[in-house]
Amino acid sequence: MSVCVMLDVDGVVVTGHPHDGRSWAADIEQDLGITPQDLQQHFFIPHWKAIVVGEKRLDTVLEDCLPRLAPDLTPQDLMAYWFARDARLEEDVLADCDLLRARGVKVFLATNQEHFRARHLMEMLGLSSRVDGIIYSAQVGAKKPQRAFFDAALSLAGSMPETTFLVDDTRANVDAARAAGWAACHWTGEQRLLELLETARAG
């Protein structure tokens, strides 16, 4: 029975700003004139929950929000800024993905993500060549730690819970995966991915 490894993206495969790992929005006030507080109040708090499960489109929401936040910016401007600054790839993790796939292990990204950035991750950051696919919340209409996300992930990957392993930096997601019958571990970045999987298997 083939093994399938599911990796969270943000905090595991991608860790913030390419230069220093900071939040993509750390310099947004200086660069674009948008305060982080306004971004939270007028964009993330009222809209993100719906965007991340595919109920709203990111570009449409930004088109409505940006006249208040930064009238001269287009949705494409903000998305390009965001995605370019949230793109630090963890090459050690990806190198271990290469080794796992060479051994016949299926490796998928399993992430809370909306459509535009999911496509950016796979196409522009080149992750499509390093994993077997991406399963994301806006695609399946549910997000981690909801059980529906894990059920959909198994269906899309063609995997069984007892042979599926989640690596995630959010404990609630790890707990939910285990409740769904998966193996799972909390990612801290202190071990290499292969070491973590081998330790978990031995345990």
Side-chain angles (χ1 to χ4, degrees), residues 43-178:
F43 172 66
F44 280 107
I45 291 172
H47 300 295
W48 188 248
K49 286 182 180 179
I51 291 170
V52 83
V53 294
E55 294 172 0
K56 295 180 180 180
R57 283 174 55 102
L58 175 59
D59 57 345
T60 303
V61 172
L62 287 175
E63 194 170 337
D64 291 338
C65 294
L66 283 174
R68 176 194 293 263
L69 295 171
D72 294 332
L73 285 183
T74 67
Q76 291 71 29
D77 292 334
L78 184 56
M79 286 190 287
Y81 179 90
W82 177 351
F83 299 166
R85 285 161 179 76
D86 205 0
R88 181 183 187 178
L89 296 178
E90 288 299 313
E91 289 297 339
D92 285 349
V93 173
L94 293 173
D96 283 354
C97 289
D98 295 339
L99 292 171
L100 287 167
R101 296 177 74 207
R103 298 175 185 176
V105 176
K106 294 290 186 182
V107 179
F108 286 85
L109 305 178
T111 175
N112 290 341
Q113 213 71 236
E114 57 76 44
H115 298 294
F116 287 94
R117 185 158 180 260
R119 185 164 62 247
H120 180 86
L121 290 166
M122 296 298 277
E123 296 176 4
M124 302 305 294
L125 295 189
L127 291 177
S128 61
S129 68
R130 311 298 294 274
V131 297
D132 293 287
I134 184 171
I135 298 159
Y136 63 99
S137 54
Q139 170 192 30
V140 303
K143 64 178 183 175
K144 297 178 292 184
Q146 295 171 332
R147 176 62 180 265
F149 179 94
F150 297 99
D151 292 343
L154 291 179
S155 178
L156 289 169
S159 184
M160 301 295 291
E162 60 269 23
T163 58
T164 304
F165 197 105
L166 177 72
V167 178
D168 201 297
D169 67 333
T170 300
R171 287 193 180 276
N173 298 339
V174 172
D175 293 343
R178 289 173 177 163

